[in-house]
């Protein structure tokens, strides 16, 4: 330590920097005998030195050179790298610089180890060890649980269940491997819990309730799982779905006992479930107890509404009022809408407002507010007739309460609902008076009231008033699609379909999801015979309303007008899948199949239509004609007898029945039928001729009497015809058939439906009527023997009831359909906003 000097403040830190060491003098190396000897030797060894360095206490020591061993220290310290007895001394102090104790003499200086070449490759993991197998299997189990949850979130419940089952199998294999490896203390309880819980949830999602309950029981009964008692809520939910309400309440209460008071929100939700179960069981007093406790601890909108329902069920007026007041005073915790209004001064604040205006938090606030308004409106409509002597007084009380609460805007909506309640009670005058009070209110309420008034007057066919209030609604709110639809309807009934279509298009521009506007636009195009555009509208509407029978019926009608009967049949089949018992649709299908020549299929649909609605004359006539054509006159009789019951004043049906009896060979029954017809219609020439013919062939004495009557009737008929021929304004038809005259309808002319676009189908219906008349010619005339079945030309003075003049009415004749049937004149019944 005597050579170690501590630096003091006065010492120069760089003192001794220029001191000269004789050992480093390279100029005298030529005179150094030891150095020269070392150079001449092959391994750099040099002989021991005989001289001593001055100032050292060390004896003879080899002198290290720059080419051989290391030089001796100038201070006389022993050389750390000197070779003694052939062994190298350790060099731990300079190991970081690349020197090692194993460095042999004569080796090159290579501190970075570049001479050793590239590093050997990493050793591969040995996956055959039990520890590695356990780790791999545990990772697979976690991946399967995650895949199961993701599949359920995507809606693939069956795939989620399969993944959950596979995770359960892998977890059991993992437990067995741990036991075989003797690592039972390393069993992961969290993994086992996750596997069982996911499996139970997936069983419940697939409505496999017994398996789900068993899986939950495995978790609940295992004491090693902490807080497993909460899963009894899930078990209670399953019992609720199974309608096992006593057990559901039992498990809800067990879960409630195992949850501490620190988890207040969870306890409130469980108590709410208990109250709902009591409502399902009809135990309203117990449900009221649960709901009142919740409203006192943590009031919320849903519980307040349920409490009102329970009070309404027990008929407690005063408590209904108190519960309604509690409902409208529940704090929602929602910021005012003014927060989202941009300010004109601060641009940065406006950017923030724009960013949060439509974010998820604001959407959640809007949904919560809409839910609260829905519950308040429903509760007011429910209790208004019950809390006072009349529903009008009850509505007024609810309106006053709402006006003094945070839901001031709902007061006007309640007034409109009051008018709608008058409508449901068929008190139209009071409804109109109530709605007229909104004419001086703000634009939104004024537009809604005027829309309802327009719709009311439209239903009453007061189109001028309907048009007036439609204009008032449009002026108050031009973007109200219901007002635009009502305006279009008033124009539609004036046969200005082009202008009506413009209003419907504007309604669609304001609300692209307005199905009423799209439906009416299709009808307007159809009325203008723009069938392709109408088809496009109804196809778009079908994409929105997949199961709407009205839309599918319109598509079938359009394809029929486009002369594509196969497509029309396909769409009618879709309508039948929605309304399988509609007799008019079945008859339409029969008509289309008949037009295509498929008689058997047409008969099937006509028969089904007759089974559901046995009073349709067109269907009855087609079925009777079908049996006549197939030579089953006995079966045709029952259909024409039913037609006689429906139209007793029409003689043609009774004549057809008598002709069927003659055709089937039952002459006695035919004679009785003709006699009965003669008693009801004594001036019917055809009936008298058949009576004369039958009595003659059967040899009856009454033949002379009927012949005399026949002559009188024919003479009176000739006189009437001569009188009619003298009238200049009447066309004389000398050889007119009586049956042909009687086949004309006696009722008032049929009023065509609003949609007349389908009248183009008249030609096909007329052709079908001609084919039917041709089939009915096969019945014998008055001048033919009863045995013959070949058609012959009849005498011009007489026409057989089943001859060519007996043309049946067209099955395709349109009728005005009401209630659940479908007609083109329906312009949308949902124009009245809720």
């Amino acid at each position: 330590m005597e050579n170690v000097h501590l630096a003091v403040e006065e010492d120069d830190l760089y003192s001794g920097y220029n001191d000269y060491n004789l050992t480093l003098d390279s100029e005298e190396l030529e005179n150094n005998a030891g150095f020269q000897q070392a150079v001449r030797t092959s391994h750099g060894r040099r002989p021991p030195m005989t001289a001593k360095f001055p100032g050292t206490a060390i004896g003879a020591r080899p002198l290290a050179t720059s080419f051989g061993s290391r030089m001796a220290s100038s201070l006389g310290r022993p050389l750390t790298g000197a070779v003694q007895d052939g062994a190298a001394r350790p060099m731990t102090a300079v190991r970081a610089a690349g020197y090692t104790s194993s460095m042999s003499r004569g080796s090159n200086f290579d501190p970075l180890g570049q001479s050793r070449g590239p590093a050997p490759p990493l050793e591969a993991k040995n996956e055959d060890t039990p520890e590695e197998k356990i780790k791999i299997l545990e990772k697979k189990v976690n991946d399967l649980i995650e895949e199961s949850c993701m599949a359920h979130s995507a809606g693939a419940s069956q795939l989620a269940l399969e993944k959950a089952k596979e995770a359960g199998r892998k977890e059991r294999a993992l437990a067995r491997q741990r036991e075989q490896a003797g690592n039972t203390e390393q069993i992961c309880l969290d993994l086992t819990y996750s596997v069982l819980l996911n499996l139970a949830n997936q069983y419940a999602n697939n409505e496999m309730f017994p398996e789900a309950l068993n899986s939950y029981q495995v978790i609940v009964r295992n004491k090693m799982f902490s807080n497993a008692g909460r899963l009894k809520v899930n078990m209670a939910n399953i019992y609720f779905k199974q309608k096992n309400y006593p057990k559901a309440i039992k498990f809800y209460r067990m879960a409630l006992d195992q949850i501490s008071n620190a988890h207040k929100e969870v306890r409130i939700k469980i108590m709410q479930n208990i109250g709902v179960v009591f409502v399902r069981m009809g135990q309203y007093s117990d449900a009221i107890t649960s709901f009142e406790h919740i409203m006192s601890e943590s009031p919320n909108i849903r519980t307040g509404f349920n409490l009102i329902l329970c009070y309404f069920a027990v008929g407690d007026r005063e408590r209904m009022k108190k519960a309604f007041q509690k409902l409208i005073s529940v704090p929602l915790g929602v910021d005012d809408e003014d927060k989202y209004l941009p300010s004109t001064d601060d641009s940065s604040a406006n950017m923030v407002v724009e960013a949060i205006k439509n974010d998820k938090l604001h959407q959640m606030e809007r949904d919560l507010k809409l839910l609260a308004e829905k519950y308040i409106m429903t509760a007011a409509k429910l209790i208004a007739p019950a809390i006072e002597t009349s529903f009008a007084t009850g509505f007024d009380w609810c309106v006053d309460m709402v006006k003094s609460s945070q839901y001031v805007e709902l007061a006007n909506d309640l007034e409109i609902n009051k008018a709608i309640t008058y409508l449901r009670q068929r008190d139209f005058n009071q409804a109109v008076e109530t709605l007229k009070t909104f004419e001086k209110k703000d634009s939104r309420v004024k537009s809604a009231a005027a829309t309802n008034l327009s719709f009311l007057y439209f239903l009453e066919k007061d189109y001028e008033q309907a048009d007036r209030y439609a204009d008032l609604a449009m002026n108050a709110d031009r973007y109200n699609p219901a007002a635009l639809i009502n305006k279009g309807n008033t124009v539609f009934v004036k046969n200005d379909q082009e202008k009506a279509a413009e209003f419907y298009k504007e309604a669609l521009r304001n609300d692209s999801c307005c199905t009423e506007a799209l439906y009416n636009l299709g009808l307007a195009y159809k009325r203008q015979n723009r069938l392709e555009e109408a088809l496009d509208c109804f196809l778009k509407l079908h994409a929105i309303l997949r199961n709407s029978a009205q839309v599918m019926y319109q598509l079938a009608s359009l394809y029929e007008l486009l002369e594509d009967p196969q497509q029309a049949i396909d769409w009618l089949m879709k309508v039948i899948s929605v309304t399988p018992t509609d007799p008019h649709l079945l008859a339409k299908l029969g008509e289309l199949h008949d037009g295509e020549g498929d008689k058997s299929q047409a008969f099937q649909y006509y028969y089904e239509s007759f089974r559901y609605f046995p009073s349709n004359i067109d269907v009855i006539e087609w079925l009777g004609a079908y049996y006549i054509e197939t030579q089953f006159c006995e079966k045709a009789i029952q259909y024409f007898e039913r037609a006689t019951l429906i139209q007793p004043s029409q003689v043609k049906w009774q004549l057809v029945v008598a002709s069927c009896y003659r055709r089937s060979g039952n002459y006695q029954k035919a004679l009785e039928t003709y006699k009965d017809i003669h008693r009801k219609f004594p001036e019917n020439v055809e009936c008298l001729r058949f009576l004369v013919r039958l009595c003659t062939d059967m040899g009856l004495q009454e033949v002379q009497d009927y012949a005399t009557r026949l002559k009188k009737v024919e003479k009176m008929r000739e006189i009437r015809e001569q009188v009619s021929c003298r009238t200049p304004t009447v066309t004389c038809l000398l050889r007119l058939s009586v049956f042909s005259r009687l086949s004309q309808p006696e009722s008032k002319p049929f009023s065509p439906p609003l949609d007349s676009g389908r009248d183009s189908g008249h030609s096909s219906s007329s052709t079908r009527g001609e084919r039917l008349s041709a089939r009915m010619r096969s019945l014998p005339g008055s001048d033919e023997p009863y045995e013959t079945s070949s058609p012959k030309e009849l005498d011009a003075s007489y026409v057989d009831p089943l001859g060519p003049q007996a043309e049946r009415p067209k099955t395709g004749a349109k009728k005005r359909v009401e209630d659940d049937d479908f007609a083109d004149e329906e312009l949308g019944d949902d124009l009245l906003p809720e």
Side-chain angles (χ1 to χ4, degrees):
M1 292 295 294
E2 61 184 9
N3 295 321
V4 177
H5 302 278
L6 298 176
V8 293
E9 293 181 0
E10 293 79 14
D11 291 345
D12 186 7
L13 294 177
Y14 298 98
S15 60
Y17 181 79
N18 294 322
D19 293 346
Y20 182 72
N21 190 351
L22 295 177
T23 310
L24 302 178
D25 187 9
S26 59
E27 296 179 357
E28 298 295 326
L29 290 178
E30 295 180 357
N31 301 324
N32 191 336
F35 177 76
Q36 294 299 329
Q37 182 64 27
V39 172
R40 287 193 293 270
T41 58
S42 60
H43 296 289
R45 292 196 182 100
R46 64 182 185 180
M49 295 181 62
T50 56
K52 295 182 181 178
F53 285 95
T56 64
I58 303 176
R61 178 172 296 180
L63 181 65
T65 64
S66 60
F67 297 96
S69 299
R70 300 180 184 275
M71 298 180 182
S73 175
S74 61
L75 299 178
R77 294 176 58 199
L79 296 178
T80 57
V83 178
Q84 295 180 355
D85 299 330
R89 292 182 62 190
M91 297 188 299
T92 58
V94 290
R95 183 173 295 169
Y99 296 98
T100 60
S101 58
S102 61
M103 181 181 291
S104 59
R105 294 177 57 189
S107 61
N108 295 329
F109 179 74
D110 189 14
L112 299 179
Q114 296 178 356
S115 61
R116 294 195 297 267
L122 297 175
E123 294 183 2
K125 252 184 183 179
N126 187 7
E127 297 183 357
D128 295 334
T129 60
E131 292 78 6
E132 289 298 326
K133 288 182 179 180
I134 289 173
K135 288 181 180 179
I136 293 172
L137 195 56
E138 188 173 344
K139 186 178 184 301
K140 287 182 179 179
V141 173
N142 283 313
D143 292 341
L144 285 171
I145 294 175
E146 185 175 353
E147 290 174 6
S148 175
C149 296
M150 295 300 293
H152 172 65
S153 64
S157 300
Q158 189 62 35
L159 178 61
L161 179 59
E162 294 298 327
K163 294 288 185 182
K165 288 181 179 179
E166 188 176 354
R169 290 192 291 270
K170 296 283 187 184
E171 194 275 333
R172 289 191 292 272
L174 175 62
R176 287 194 296 270
Q177 285 195 10
R178 289 186 188 276
E179 291 176 359
Q180 292 173 2
N183 296 332
T184 55
E185 68 278 358
Q186 296 181 0
I187 293 178
C188 184
L189 291 177
D190 293 339
L191 183 62
T192 305
Y193 181 85
S194 300
V195 169
L196 291 174
L197 179 59
N198 181 58
L199 181 60
N201 289 337
Q202 300 309 329
Y203 275 133
N205 293 332
N206 285 271
E207 296 185 356
M208 302 172 66
F209 297 134
E211 292 84 353
L213 289 173
N214 291 336
S215 300
Y216 283 128
Q217 286 286 2
V218 171
I219 302 175
V220 171
R221 291 175 181 175
N222 194 335
K223 302 301 182 183
M224 300 178 67
F225 297 138
S226 59
N227 298 325
R230 296 186 180 185
L231 296 181
K232 291 182 179 178
V233 176
N234 296 11
M235 299 174 70
N237 292 338
I238 292 176
Y239 284 124
F240 179 79
K241 292 178 181 178
Q242 292 179 332
K243 298 185 178 180
N244 190 352
Y245 301 129
K247 267 201 168 183
I249 291 177
K250 174 184 176 183
F251 275 84
Y252 279 134
R253 286 176 171 170
M254 291 170 64
L256 193 64
D257 293 339
Q258 296 184 9
I259 295 176
S260 63
N261 293 327
H263 302 88
K264 180 180 178 181
E265 192 171 339
V266 178
R267 291 177 61 87
I268 290 295
K269 290 182 178 180
I270 294 176
M271 292 194 68
Q272 187 170 352
N273 288 357
I274 292 174
V276 172
V277 176
F278 277 129
V279 170
R280 291 294 182 91
M281 296 175 66
Q283 300 179 13
Y284 299 111
S285 58
D286 296 328
I288 289 172
T289 303
S290 298
F291 292 142
E292 284 180 344
H293 176 74
I294 296 172
M295 292 299 289
S296 61
E297 294 291 330
S298 177
N300 60 80
I301 291 291
R302 193 182 301 272
T303 304
F305 179 72
N306 290 340
L307 184 60
I308 291 176
L309 292 180
C310 292
Y311 286 140
F312 179 81
V314 298
D316 195 334
R317 293 186 177 184
E318 294 302 322
R319 286 190 172 185
M320 273 190 273
K321 290 183 177 181
K322 292 179 180 179
F324 186 77
Q325 292 174 346
K326 288 182 180 179
L327 178 65
I328 60 179
S329 62
V330 171
L332 294 179
V334 177
D335 294 332
D336 295 333
E337 290 295 328
D338 297 340
K339 172 184 176 182
Y340 300 100
L341 295 177
S343 59
T344 56
D345 301 333
D346 194 350
S347 59
S348 60
N350 291 341
M351 293 178 63
V352 173
V353 169
E354 287 295 327
I356 66 174
K357 183 182 294 184
N358 294 317
D359 62 353
K360 291 186 178 180
L361 180 60
H362 190 204
Q363 184 64 39
M364 184 186 71
E365 291 178 348
R366 282 199 296 258
D367 293 342
L368 181 60
K369 191 173 182 181
L370 289 175
L371 181 66
E373 292 177 355
K374 175 186 174 183
Y375 282 144
I376 292 172
M377 291 288 294
T378 307
K381 290 188 288 185
L382 178 68
I383 68 173
I387 57 177
E388 299 292 345
T389 55
S390 65
F391 88 94
T393 310
F395 259 110
D396 294 338
W397 182 88
C398 292
V399 169
D400 293 339
M401 290 296 104
V402 169
K403 285 182 179 179
S404 61
S405 68
Q406 55 183 327
Y407 303 98
V408 183
E409 301 173 354
L410 290 181
N412 294 324
D413 295 335
L414 279 174
E415 290 283 355
I416 293 179
N417 275 280
K418 179 181 177 181
I420 295 174
T421 307
Y422 277 125
L423 285 178
R424 291 188 179 132
Q425 295 180 354
R426 306 288 183 179
D427 193 349
F428 296 104
N429 294 329
Q430 285 291 338
V432 170
E433 292 298 326
T434 305
L435 290 172
K436 284 183 177 179
T437 58
F438 291 95
E439 293 186 8
K440 297 181 181 180
K441 296 291 181 69
D442 59 350
S443 60
R444 184 185 69 85
V445 181
K446 182 179 180 181
S447 177
T451 301
N452 289 325
L453 283 170
S454 175
F455 185 67
L456 279 174
Y457 285 121
F458 185 84
L459 293 179
E460 294 178 350
K461 301 188 185 306
D462 188 352
Y463 299 127
E464 293 184 2
Q465 288 291 335
D467 186 58
R468 172 176 170 269
Y469 280 102
D471 290 335
L472 185 63
M474 289 170 53
N475 294 333
D477 184 5
R478 185 71 184 186
Y479 297 99
N480 184 358
L484 292 167
I485 292 172
N486 287 347
K487 179 64 178 178
N489 291 347
T490 58
V491 176
F492 191 99
V493 296
K494 297 176 182 177
N495 292 326
D496 190 354
Q497 285 78 28
E498 186 174 356
K499 191 174 181 181
E502 293 299 324
F503 284 111
Y504 297 144
K505 289 178 183 177
E506 186 176 354
L508 285 172
R509 285 193 294 269
N510 293 339
D511 183 6
S512 59
C513 298
C514 185
T515 56
E516 294 86 357
L518 190 57
Y519 185 91
N520 293 352
L521 180 62
L523 290 182
Y525 284 146
K526 187 179 178 183
R527 188 70 174 271
Q528 299 175 59
N529 206 26
R530 297 160 64 178
L531 302 181
E532 293 294 340
E533 296 176 63
L535 187 65
D536 184 55
C537 289
F538 285 113
L539 286 174
K540 290 179 181 177
L541 193 58
H542 177 66
I544 301 172
L545 306 174
R546 303 296 298 181
N547 295 322
S548 174
Q550 286 181 322
V551 175
M552 291 187 285
Y553 180 81
Q554 293 294 338
L555 286 169
S557 175
L558 285 169
Y559 277 116
E560 183 184 3
L561 294 176
L562 291 169
E563 297 181 356
D564 191 349
Q566 193 56 48
Q567 283 281 0
I569 290 173
D570 293 342
W571 281 105
L572 283 178
M573 290 299 296
K574 293 179 181 179
V575 182
I576 289 296
S577 66
V578 178
T579 57
T581 60
D582 192 303
H584 306 289
L585 293 177
L586 292 167
K588 189 65 178 177
L589 272 172
E591 179 187 344
L592 291 174
H593 280 292
D594 187 23
E596 291 294 298
D598 191 351
K599 305 296 181 184
S600 60
Q601 197 69 24
F603 170 76
Q604 181 67 29
Y605 286 115
Y606 272 120
Y607 182 77
E608 287 294 315
S609 176
F610 174 77
R611 194 163 63 88
Y612 289 117
F613 183 47
S615 300
N616 192 330
I617 289 293
D618 297 334
V619 175
I620 291 171
E621 185 175 0
W622 192 95
L623 290 170
Y626 174 81
Y627 280 118
I628 291 173
E629 183 182 8
T630 55
Q631 306 298 322
F632 291 101
C633 296
E634 298 86 351
K635 292 187 177 180
I637 291 173
Q638 60 176 332
Y639 293 103
F640 291 121
E641 284 180 345
R642 182 174 290 274
T644 302
L645 295 174
I646 296 172
Q647 294 181 347
S649 62
Q650 293 286 340
V651 69
K652 63 179 181 178
W653 305 120
Q654 302 181 42
L655 291 173
V656 172
V657 171
S659 297
C660 290
Y661 280 125
R662 286 194 300 109
R663 183 63 181 271
S664 61
N666 192 349
Y667 307 128
Q668 186 63 38
K669 188 67 176 175
L671 181 62
E672 294 176 0
T673 305
Y674 280 123
K675 287 182 179 180
D676 186 60
I677 296 172
H678 179 64
R679 283 193 297 269
K680 295 178 181 177
F681 304 94
E683 295 183 359
N684 188 273
V685 178
E686 288 78 12
C687 179
L688 285 171
R689 286 176 180 172
F690 274 111
L691 283 171
V692 171
R693 179 62 186 274
L694 279 173
C695 291
T696 302
D697 294 342
M698 297 174 68
L700 300 177
Q701 298 179 357
E702 302 167 295
V703 62
Q704 193 63 35
D705 182 32
Y706 288 124
T708 305
R709 296 180 185 180
L710 177 60
K711 289 180 182 180
K712 290 181 180 180
V713 171
E714 287 179 342
K715 189 173 182 180
M716 292 176 60
R717 177 182 176 185
E718 290 176 0
I719 294 173
R720 282 196 295 267
E721 288 176 352
Q722 290 175 2
V723 172
S724 63
C725 290
R726 293 194 186 100
T727 306
T729 58
V730 179
T731 303
C732 180
L733 302 177
L734 295 177
R735 305 172 70 90
L736 184 64
S737 169
V738 177
F739 183 78
S740 178
R741 293 199 309 271
L742 291 173
S743 64
Q744 301 300 323
E746 297 179 356
S747 60
K748 63 180 180 179
F750 173 71
S751 176
L754 187 59
D755 176 22
S756 61
R758 287 184 289 181
D759 292 343
S760 60
H762 172 76
S763 60
S764 63
S765 299
S766 178
T767 304
R768 184 173 58 81
E770 293 173 0
R771 291 199 305 268
L772 178 59
S773 299
R775 291 198 303 269
M776 298 175 74
R777 293 173 188 166
S778 59
L779 286 183
S782 60
D783 298 333
E784 298 177 3
Y786 303 132
E787 291 78 11
T788 183
S789 61
S790 60
K792 294 183 180 180
E793 292 297 328
L794 303 180
D795 186 80
S797 63
Y798 168 70
V799 179
D800 190 270
L802 298 180
Q805 297 294 333
E807 182 176 344
R808 61 193 286 266
K810 300 175 181 60
T811 308
K814 301 297 182 291
K815 63 181 182 62
R816 187 168 302 275
V817 184
E818 298 176 354
D819 298 332
D820 295 334
D821 299 327
F822 313 112
D824 296 335
E825 66 270 24
E826 295 177 2
L827 297 178
D829 294 335
D830 297 328
L831 303 178
L832 190 64
E834 292 293 337

